Amino acid sequence: MSLLQVNNLTKRFGGLVAVDSVDLVVNKSEIVSIIGPNGAGKTTFFNMLTGIYEPTTGSIKFDGKNIEGISPEKVIDIGMARTFQNIRLFSNMTVLENVIVGMHTRTSNGLLHSILRTKKFKHEEDGCIDKAIELLSTVNLDSKLDEYAKNLAYGEQRRLEIVRALASDPKLILLDEPAAGMNPQETHELMEYIRKLKQMGFTVLLIEHDMKLVMNISDRIYVLDHGAKIAEGTPTEIQNNKSVIEAYLGKGA
Amino acid sequence: MKRYFSLIAILITFALIFTGCTDTGNDTQDTAKDGEITIAVACPLTGDYAQYGEAFKRATALKVKEVNENGGIDGKKIKIELMDDKNDPKEATNVAQRLVSNKNVVGVVGHFSSTACLAAAPVYQKAGLVEFSPTSSHPDFTKQGTYMFRNINTQEIEGPIVADMVVNRMKGKKIAVIYINNDWGITAKDNFIKAAEKLGAEIVAEEMFIGSQTKDFTPTLTKINEQKPDVIFLAAFYSETGMIAQQMKQLGYDYPIAGLSSLFNEELLKLAGDAVEGINLPTNFFPGDPNPVVTDFLSAYEKEYGAEPDQFAAVAYDTMGMMIEAIKKAGPDRAAIREELAKIKDYNGVTGIITFNENRDVVKTMKILEIKDGKFQLVD
Amino acid sequence: MFFQQLINGLTLGSTYALTAVGYTMVFGILELVNFSHGAVYMFGAFVVLMLMTALKLNFMLAFVIGVIITGLLGITIDKICLFPLRKKKAPKVASLISTIGVSIFIQNLVMLVWGSETKNFPLVLNLGSINIGSLKISYLQIIIMMIAVVLMAALTIIIRKTKIGKAMRATAQNMEAAKLMGVNVNFVISFTFFLGASLAAVAGVLVGMYYQSVDPMMGFMAGLKAFAAAVLGGIGVLPGAILGGLIIGVSEILAAGYIHAGFRDAIAFGILIAVLIIRPTGLLGKKVQKKV
Amino acid sequence: MKTALDNLKGKSTKNSLKIIIIIAIALSLLVPFLNLSSFVIRMIIMVGIYIILGLSLNLVTGFAGQLSLGHAAFYAIGAYTSAILSTRFEMSFFITALMGALLAAFFGFLLGLPTLKLEGAYLAIVTLGFCEIVRIVALNWMGLTRGPMGIPGIPAPSIFGIDLGTEVGYYFLIYILAAATIITIYRIVNSRVGRAFIAIREDELAAQSMGINTTMYKVLAFTIAAFFAGLAGSFYAHYVTYIDPQSFTFDESIQILSIVILGGMGSIPGTIIGALILVTAPEFLRSLQDYRMVMYGAVLIIMMLTRPQGIMGASKTKIKRNKLASSKISNKGGE
């Protein structure tokens, strides 16, 4: 059963076609990767899914509903959460707070409850804290709860960002180059972690350059080049696809 | 944690300095108490209106120096406690509170503008300390309480004098009015218009500007020009009057200008040169007055500061003089000083013969001046 | 009367435009609202006046020296009060408060040294005026508008065609990248402050001449209006500063002439707010695409 | 073991902090009876007013990250509403203060709306322009505000027939108002709403991606801030008993902003210290007479150069953790 179905999605910036009629399907509990050379339009594609850019044409169907042109703050509501290519944590907030902000749409404490510190307020806060600590423990960050996000090591920041996205209980989680800047050891841990996510019942769509990671964990892979989809299939199929090799190594290789 | 300790440390230091500051303030005065009587002068020394405060500062210092040289009050020297209120109502109340808390201060000369005077008045009234403003002309000022005095004619008195000057002397039948949008400007304009209309004149334009904010008067003047008035009456201070006159000249408009006593200032001539030629205005103080009180003041002021006093200096000088007069009779007692000040009759000051009416407002006679050949000259 | 008011408004607008250019340049490079600009403008007018009256220099000489001194003041402000903050990577608001401190400092220092009263600025160029019917345009008004346009053109040439201009544009785009490419960023910033401050001085002197008076508080309102003009036109965009200045000037004068003199400043700010609500980056400002 | 020790440490810090706060509160309650001069009491009351003003602006600028140069406008709206209602309709302080605060909040809401799209310098000039417009309207709308004549004779507050127009009365009134403001702002900041504000300040786009309706929260920040500034204005009007437009100029906005920046953006204790320093500094400097404002300017620059992040820096917001949660950590640590 398909969770996300993208048809004929296109984005033009002036004369430049950043994403050119791409079709894509993500099924429940799948790990799907999008790969492609720099400037292939991968992040633009993500930005359309998450409402940051409005598509020029095409449709996005998520969980049975059309969502193209949705506003960014609604995206998480319908069950899609993301991370960013260049980590966008709330640097001057603590690790714990970052995760709890991730639960924003799943909580409801308003001004009055906050000021009066009602029972509901305390109950909800406690619930958030427990859940956040539980999530953080899955990435070994539960010992750094009160650390400022900006003081974490690079790999830790990446993991924190993923946990922040998970905090909203998404049906689909979008990871934009999660392994960028990680050493092999960290990448390996990340790989295990993404597998674990699948076991936990999450669906994952990721953009990634690290081929080892992609080939190891993906159920299916889409390849973009110059905005257009040039191939799709299982990791083995992609590894043997001529046009993919051309796109990566240039013609005549 | 360290953060909180530093916070507490700062708080404590502040508390100490603060109480210490006010205490030492009192200490120094306590030691000096026997030989001195303290009179406060509160005026703007910084900010937009500092030039007027400077006149207060100089003139009151001169008066005190003269009295001290002649033996002071019963052998006691007078000391001035000079306070800057920036002409800001909030600062004025702080100053007032500070002065009433200082037991050595027996009377206050100040503040400059009505805004500051009115804001500070409740503090003085509550504590029973005389607030003697040389310049506040707001009608409500002396209604704030029995400790409020002023040494300037209210516009109820000046308005009819100027209206007579404009309608009868300058033959103004159609009059355009430009006024500064503050309490003084509005009361001045209202009283003038009332008196002028009674004399049969017609007000053809009524335009305002915001003090120390408006520099470009061309739209107002262009608009007034459409009405072709006989006279333009200005309820403004000298600096804006200079600009208005110059911009009129630049636009090529040539209407006679009438003003109020606020224009009597040598700076106006320096500022606008021949553009202000022919302006008519009334005044309490005129340096060309042959009265020996005036000539003595003039030469003393010029000797001390190398400049001719303006009317703000003159009225501050008289205010200090009257205050000292009252203290001489009452001794250093705040309530007694109020009683004696209210009783002062026919004080022979440089701004005329001064008496308070029952509302503690002064009534002084006025002379008419005209700017001729780059000088203020007495007419009649 | 309408055309006369229009001329009045254009002249006033030109003085705003000249001052606005300084705001826009500093903002373009540093993304900093320089609140000391109004005080610098006032300082420029005072220095030229003092050179003329105290040292008896002739106008042109006093003008040139005064403008250079003011330009150097601009550099000094940056070096003492802003550069250390940039080095520490302090938040932008800290710099903003620092420039407010500078503004208070300069204003009150001028008041202490030269007195707080309004001073006459001699009418050095008494050129008379042209009359077209009842319309009267003084040559001074024409000169002020001309200078605004000429300086604007010269600035555009400096920024578009010269090497330093290229460096300025590079710094404005991305300071770190410019540094890596060998641009002497500190020099570029100093140069920008010099240019901005000397332009403010030119504006101050022209305004002093136009109203034949200067006072230590003259920079305050003029500074706010010029800032408003810069933002209205699109801050960081040079032609925007001119356009914004003229619009603010004309609307203010027309408001005073036809609506109510008391509300003239309120109307100028009201127009600004209305424009920004419709066009959040000002009239000529470019819309920035969010980088993700 | 280590975590247990940490917990213990945390507890002792918390306790000593509590003790300090209790002592401070006890001392401050004694203040009016220490026979201090009226001047000192007056200064403390003024500091109280500026604590409210500073904290409310801090919510917008320090926590939600929206630079506002027009905070005096709300202060003015509160003061004028209160003054007009109490002099013309003889309403009691508590009603006028509430009305003043609510009307200010309404205008805060209106001003918050354009912030949907504006940022940085654009927002700064809009707030500044708004402040000027409010002042100019107050100056020109004679029928309502008496323009430059100001409104004198604003009655002192009283409750159940007890006159609060005494030093002690005013002291405790501002004490309660300031304390209520501190507690409210503290609680807002340390809640879901406050975290949304801070997230917007830190990274607006990421905040949006977390599902935070940034527009709504920005407007909310402005509205809350305006409410408290209006409250401060009401108190000011009833305290000074005379107001006119000159009390609410652009300088006033700058003064409030300086308090926030000097104390540290996003720091509640910082704002309190900032208010204390900047309100009293002119009094310390008063003996300098003409040199006072020059020194003030210099002090402002030096403060910024030496501590650009403010005296206190941004304070860490703390999420209170319950026993369950902390026991879980130590369990995890033991595993």
Side-chain angles (χ1 to χ4, degrees):
Chain A
M1 181 196 143
S2 71
L3 181 65
L4 177 72
Q5 190 166 5
V6 175
N7 282 323
N8 200 20
L9 197 65
T10 302
K11 178 72 188 172
R12 285 198 196 89
F13 293 111
L16 185 87
V17 186
V19 174
D20 193 359
S21 357
V22 173
D23 297 328
L24 176 144
V25 175
V26 179
N27 296 315
K28 251 197 184 130
S29 300
E30 251 189 334
I31 298 177
V32 176
S33 298
I34 302 174
I35 61 169
N38 282 325
K42 300 178 304 262
T43 296
T44 308
F45 185 75
F46 258 33
N47 284 343
M48 280 190 283
L49 293 186
T50 53
I52 291 169
Y53 296 156
E54 200 172 328
T56 313
T57 57
S59 73
I60 307 168
K61 209 174 208 177
F62 181 78
D63 211 10
K65 278 185 296 254
N66 279 325
I67 60 154
E68 57 273 12
I70 193 175
S71 72
E73 62 251 32
K74 292 272 161 56
V75 167
I76 207 161
D77 252 343
I78 58 164
M80 214 192 296
R82 73 173 290 180
T83 67
F84 295 88
Q85 187 177 349
N86 43 348
I87 309 175
R88 298 186 88 123
L89 287 168
F90 306 118
S91 338
N92 288 306
M93 293 176 94
T94 63
V95 168
L96 186 60
E97 285 173 325
N98 264 281
V99 179
I100 294 181
V101 170
M103 299 173 196
H104 188 86
T105 48
R106 302 291 174 252
T107 47
S108 63
N109 267 333
L111 206 53
L112 220 54
H113 286 290
S114 306
I115 294 172
L116 300 176
R117 298 271 133 139
T118 55
K119 240 183 194 153
K120 174 187 178 275
F121 174 85
K122 286 184 190 131
H123 183 76
E124 193 179 288
E125 287 277 294
D126 289 349
C128 287
I129 294 164
D130 289 346
K131 190 179 160 195
I133 292 173
E134 210 178 300
L135 279 169
L136 284 166
S137 66
T138 64
V139 289
N140 298 326
L141 279 173
D142 53 342
S143 56
K144 298 199 166 176
L145 296 178
D146 292 329
E147 200 74 57
Y148 278 129
K150 64 178 176 192
N151 295 338
L152 295 183
Y154 188 78
E156 290 173 327
Q157 294 196 1
R158 282 272 179 221
R159 283 180 296 179
L160 176 58
E161 210 189 6
I162 296 173
V163 169
R164 186 180 68 179
L166 290 179
S168 64
D169 298 323
K171 293 179 187 133
L172 174 68
I173 171 160
L174 309 172
L175 304 176
D176 197 346
E177 296 196 25
M182 283 188 171
N183 62 33
Q185 169 64 26
E186 285 172 327
T187 310
H188 185 76
E189 281 169 20
L190 179 73
M191 193 159 78
E192 293 305 318
Y193 187 63
I194 294 175
R195 278 214 184 100
K196 205 159 132 199
L197 289 181
K198 187 181 169 182
Q199 283 159 19
M200 287 159 75
F202 289 107
T203 310
V204 181
L205 176 63
L206 84 156
I207 296 175
E208 190 46 73
H209 275 301
D210 190 311
M211 284 305 147
K212 206 175 139 209
L213 177 83
V214 170
M215 296 304 164
N216 260 315
I217 61 169
S218 305
D219 294 316
R220 289 184 302 112
I221 297 173
Y222 288 84
V223 187
L224 297 189
D225 188 25
H226 292 106
K229 184 174 80 181
I230 55 168
E232 64 171 288
T234 61
T236 358
E237 284 166 15
I238 296 295
Q239 270 164 345
N240 300 320
N241 186 308
K242 241 192 202 144
S243 46
V244 174
I245 297 167
E246 263 174 24
Y248 270 90
L249 302 174
K251 274 195 176 125
Chain B
M1 197 56 212
K2 223 170 104 193
R3 199 206 296 269
Y4 284 98
F5 276 123
S6 59
L7 180 111
I8 303 290
I10 292 173
L11 281 173
I12 291 172
T13 325
F14 244 83
L16 288 177
I17 298 175
F18 202 68
T19 43
C21 173
T22 45
D23 283 350
T24 48
N26 288 337
D27 283 346
T28 46
Q29 278 142 6
D30 279 343
T31 53
K33 193 163 68 179
D34 290 342
E36 282 184 347
I37 287 175
T38 310
I39 301 173
V41 174
C43 55
L45 294 171
T46 57
D48 294 16
Y49 295 86
Q51 71 242 45
Y52 304 109
E54 196 62 28
F56 278 25
K57 180 180 158 186
R58 288 176 164 191
T60 54
L62 178 66
K63 183 78 203 181
V64 165
K65 191 181 157 209
E66 285 169 4
V67 174
N68 281 344
E69 276 168 2
N70 290 317
I73 300 175
D74 297 335
K76 287 180 186 167
K77 292 265 185 275
I78 303 167
K79 185 175 157 261
I80 289 183
E81 180 80 18
L82 189 63
M83 288 284 186
D84 173 22
D85 65 14
K86 255 176 98 188
N87 202 36
D88 172 321
K90 188 182 70 214
E91 295 234 12
T93 43
N94 286 348
V95 164
Q97 192 66 64
R98 203 160 169 156
L99 292 176
V100 300
S101 299
N102 183 343
K103 296 283 173 285
N104 297 312
V105 172
V106 297
V108 179
V109 173
H111 300 232
F112 169 67
S113 76
S114 299
T115 305
C117 287
L118 277 167
V123 179
Y124 290 117
Q125 180 63 25
K126 211 165 173 186
L129 180 63
V130 167
E131 180 189 16
F132 191 1
S133 172
T135 43
S136 169
S137 58
H138 195 299
D140 291 344
F141 170 57
T142 48
K143 291 176 191 149
Q144 297 299 306
T146 49
Y147 280 83
M148 278 74 238
F149 292 78
R150 75 171 110 224
N151 204 357
I152 187 167
N153 274 343
T154 59
Q155 288 304 320
E156 278 166 47
I157 294 161
E158 193 169 350
I161 297 174
V162 185
D164 176 67
M165 172 186 95
V166 171
V167 179
N168 295 328
R169 232 187 74 77
M170 301 173 79
K171 308 284 174 236
K173 290 276 166 270
K174 287 164 72 184
I175 306 167
V177 177
I178 302 178
Y179 64 99
I180 182 167
N181 189 15
N182 63 20
D183 54 279
W184 175 82
I186 290 171
T187 34
K189 162 208 80 151
D190 287 345
N191 281 296
F192 170 82
I193 291 178
K194 205 165 78 189
E197 281 175 344
K198 208 180 265 173
L199 293 173
E202 183 198 353
I203 307 299
V204 293
E206 217 182 303
E207 290 289 323
M208 63 141 78
F209 65 91
I210 298 174
S212 79
Q213 185 168 325
T214 308
K215 310 262 178 213
D216 188 316
F217 296 89
T218 53
T220 302
L221 293 169
T222 307
K223 194 173 171 188
I224 284 176
N225 182 45
E226 297 288 293
Q227 305 296 331
K228 305 282 175 234
D230 301 325
V231 178
I232 297 181
F233 166 71
L234 301 181
F237 295 121
Y238 80 83
S239 43
E240 282 102 0
T241 301
M243 281 188 256
I244 291 173
Q246 277 173 326
Q247 290 176 29
M248 256 173 80
K249 201 177 156 214
Q250 262 182 15
L251 288 165
Y253 305 150
D254 189 22
Y255 301 108
I257 298 176
L260 289 161
S261 54
S262 55
L263 298 189
F264 180 61
N265 190 318
E266 291 295 319
E267 290 292 328
L268 176 63
L269 306 175
K270 282 190 222 156
L271 193 62
D274 55 352
V276 291
E277 194 73 11
I279 289 185
N280 280 238
L281 62 144
T283 184
N284 295 117
F285 168 70
F286 181 58
D289 198 329
N291 183 346
V293 183
V294 176
T295 51
D296 288 354
F297 168 61
L298 229 59
S299 58
Y301 194 95
E302 269 166 20
K303 202 176 132 215
E304 192 77 18
Y305 303 112
E308 194 173 88
D310 59 11
Q311 53 156 347
F312 292 103
V315 75
Y317 182 83
D318 276 351
T319 309
M320 184 53 100
M322 291 165 76
M323 182 70 91
I324 291 170
E325 209 57 34
I327 298 170
K328 271 183 186 160
K329 289 190 190 126
D333 174 273
R334 289 178 177 182
I337 289 170
R338 195 212 81 84
E339 298 301 324
E340 289 302 330
L341 192 58
K343 279 187 222 156
I344 285 184
K345 265 207 168 55
D346 300 333
Y347 177 87
N348 190 10
V350 295
T351 57
I353 309 293
I354 306 169
T355 303
F356 288 110
N357 67 14
E358 69 282 6
N359 299 327
R360 296 166 312 285
D361 295 335
V362 284
V363 182
K364 303 185 204 181
T365 48
M366 302 194 100
K367 308 165 191 70
I368 303 291
L369 301 181
E370 180 173 342
I371 300 177
K372 244 190 257 165
D373 310 321
K375 272 191 301 212
F376 287 103
Q377 303 201 7
L378 213 51
V379 289
D380 306 335
Chain C
M1 168 170 148
F2 175 75
F3 288 101
Q4 185 66 54
Q5 296 288 34
L6 198 63
I7 297 289
N8 296 338
L10 288 174
T11 318
L12 183 67
S14 308
T15 68
Y16 291 156
L18 276 175
T19 323
V21 168
Y23 273 108
T24 262
M25 283 204 328
V26 170
F27 186 88
I29 305 277
L30 296 174
E31 285 190 22
L32 165 76
V33 180
N34 178 8
F35 266 102
S36 67
H37 202 67
V40 169
Y41 152 99
M42 175 274 296
F43 179 86
F46 261 85
V47 166
V48 172
L49 177 66
M50 288 307 144
L51 288 171
M52 277 159 65
T53 52
L55 296 182
K56 308 263 179 269
L57 297 181
N58 79 32
F59 172 68
M60 278 324 286
L61 194 60
F63 182 73
V64 172
I65 297 176
V67 166
I68 292 173
I69 291 177
T70 315
L72 294 175
L73 174 72
I75 297 180
T76 317
I77 290 172
D78 175 53
K79 287 284 174 220
I80 294 179
C81 308
L82 298 172
F83 176 70
L85 287 171
R86 274 203 302 282
K87 223 167 94 185
K88 283 187 188 169
K89 299 214 186 319
K92 290 246 159 62
V93 241
S95 306
L96 186 113
I97 298 287
S98 187
T99 61
I100 288 171
V102 172
S103 162
I104 296 174
F105 183 81
I106 295 179
Q107 225 170 54
N108 286 280
L109 196 67
V110 165
M111 227 181 258
L112 270 181
V113 177
W114 289 314
S116 61
E117 70 276 0
T118 308
K119 290 193 167 48
N120 174 248
F121 199 99
L123 188 62
V124 250
L125 306 166
N126 196 356
L127 301 166
S129 54
I130 359 172
N131 294 297
I132 308 163
S134 66
L135 194 64
K136 192 174 161 102
I137 308 168
S138 76
Y139 280 103
L140 196 60
Q141 287 180 319
I142 296 174
I143 288 175
I144 288 173
M145 286 185 250
M146 294 280 285
I147 289 181
V149 172
V150 168
L151 281 178
M152 164 67 216
L155 263 181
T156 312
I157 291 171
I158 289 178
I159 288 172
R160 289 274 150 80
K161 304 280 178 205
T162 63
K163 208 175 149 194
I164 178 83
K166 211 178 193 176
M168 283 167 80
R169 278 183 292 148
T171 311
Q173 283 275 322
N174 187 334
M175 197 180 288
E176 291 307 312
K179 220 180 261 173
L180 291 175
M181 300 308 289
V183 173
N184 185 345
V185 169
N186 284 330
F187 177 76
V188 168
I189 291 172
S190 291
F191 183 76
T192 309
F193 269 92
F194 181 85
L195 223 51
S198 30
L199 280 175
V202 172
V205 171
L206 287 176
V207 170
M209 267 162 49
Y210 184 51
Y211 297 134
Q212 292 166 59
S213 65
V214 292
D215 68 279
M217 305 306 288
M218 70 189 265
F220 176 70
M221 248 303 144
L224 288 191
K225 296 273 181 59
F227 177 35
V231 173
L232 178 65
I235 197 159
V237 185
L238 274 179
I242 303 273
L243 183 65
L246 293 181
I247 291 176
I248 297 257
V250 170
S251 59
E252 183 185 330
I253 295 286
L254 293 184
Y258 293 98
I259 303 172
H260 189 287
F263 285 105
R264 58 194 279 181
D265 298 317
I267 286 160
F269 281 115
I271 288 179
L272 172 77
I273 293 178
V275 167
L276 285 184
I277 288 173
I278 298 162
R279 277 192 66 92
T281 50
L283 290 172
L284 302 183
K286 282 175 220 91
K287 196 170 188 297
V288 207
Q289 184 73 52
K290 276 183 276 189
K291 282 181 222 163
V292 183
Chain D
M1 190 60 217
K2 203 181 162 204
T3 45
L5 194 71
D6 278 347
N7 275 350
L8 207 66
K9 254 190 205 159
K11 218 164 252 171
S12 75
T13 326
K14 220 181 241 171
N15 283 342
S16 56
L17 186 66
K18 253 183 202 159
I19 292 167
I20 291 173
I21 290 176
I22 290 169
I23 294 174
I25 290 173
L27 282 179
S28 58
L29 288 175
L30 285 174
V31 163
F33 309 107
L34 293 178
N35 201 20
L36 293 169
S37 77
S38 309
F39 172 69
V40 174
I41 304 263
R42 179 169 204 100
M43 290 315 295
I44 295 173
I45 292 172
M46 290 310 289
V47 170
I49 294 177
Y50 279 91
I51 286 175
I52 301 178
L53 290 169
L55 279 180
S56 57
L57 180 64
N58 205 346
L59 191 71
V60 171
T61 301
F63 289 102
Q66 309 297 308
L67 179 60
S68 166
L69 295 178
H71 211 55
F74 307 119
Y75 184 39
I77 291 169
Y80 265 102
T81 309
S82 232
I84 292 165
L85 291 180
S86 61
T87 53
R88 295 210 188 152
F89 304 102
E90 290 170 4
M91 290 184 185
S92 88
F93 169 75
F94 294 93
I95 297 172
T96 63
L98 187 67
M99 299 290 277
L102 286 176
L103 194 67
F106 174 69
F107 277 96
F109 172 76
L110 283 188
L111 182 65
L113 289 177
T115 65
L116 320 179
K117 299 191 214 163
L118 301 179
E119 43 189 42
Y122 296 95
L123 179 60
I125 189 73
V126 164
T127 52
L128 191 162
F130 176 72
C131 182
E132 277 297 297
I133 290 174
V134 166
R135 188 177 67 87
I136 290 167
V137 169
L139 201 55
N140 287 294
W141 193 351
M142 294 289 290
L144 184 72
T145 64
R146 292 176 30 105
M149 309 297 281
I151 302 178
I154 302 163
S158 67
I159 182 169
F160 307 130
I162 307 165
D163 179 24
L164 295 177
T166 60
E167 265 175 22
V168 180
Y170 280 122
Y171 178 85
F172 281 112
L173 192 55
I174 191 68
Y175 190 94
I176 291 166
L177 291 179
T181 310
I182 293 171
I183 293 170
T184 312
I185 302 265
Y186 175 84
R187 288 185 165 182
I188 291 174
V189 167
N190 291 282
S191 76
R192 176 170 170 270
V193 177
R195 286 191 293 269
F197 288 156
I198 301 172
I200 293 171
R201 174 191 75 194
E202 290 294 310
D203 189 328
E204 198 170 334
L205 191 90
Q208 265 182 348
S209 299
M210 294 302 113
I212 294 168
N213 183 341
T214 52
T215 305
M216 196 271 273
Y217 277 98
K218 281 189 208 170
V219 175
L220 184 65
F222 263 101
T223 311
I224 300 170
F227 179 88
F228 283 106
L231 192 65
S234 294
F235 177 83
Y236 175 78
H238 286 275
Y239 178 52
V240 179
T241 75
Y242 171 78
I243 56 164
D244 75 348
Q246 237 180 307
S247 311
F248 310 102
T249 56
F250 174 62
D251 288 351
E252 202 62 34
S253 298
I254 291 301
Q255 167 90 343
I256 303 168
L257 183 64
S258 307
I259 285 172
V260 172
I261 310 283
L262 182 69
M265 292 215 298
S267 164
I268 292 175
T271 301
I272 297 170
I273 299 217
L276 190 62
I277 294 178
L278 281 186
V279 172
T280 54
E283 299 301 322
F284 290 125
L285 296 174
R286 204 177 283 290
S287 55
L288 298 170
Q289 295 188 4
D290 320 22
Y291 293 89
R292 185 162 74 110
M293 289 313 287
V294 175
M295 284 306 294
Y296 182 77
V299 166
L300 213 54
I301 300 170
I302 293 166
M303 288 272 196
M304 281 300 105
L305 290 182
T306 45
R307 272 192 83 80
Q309 74 278 39
I311 292 170
M312 299 297 286
S315 55
K316 226 175 191 171
T317 44
K318 263 271 160 60
I319 296 183
K320 253 199 203 149
R321 252 174 280 146
N322 60 4
K323 277 175 207 142
L324 184 81
S326 31
S327 70
K328 256 188 195 162
I329 310 174
S330 40
N331 282 344
K332 278 264 150 49
E335 265 168 24

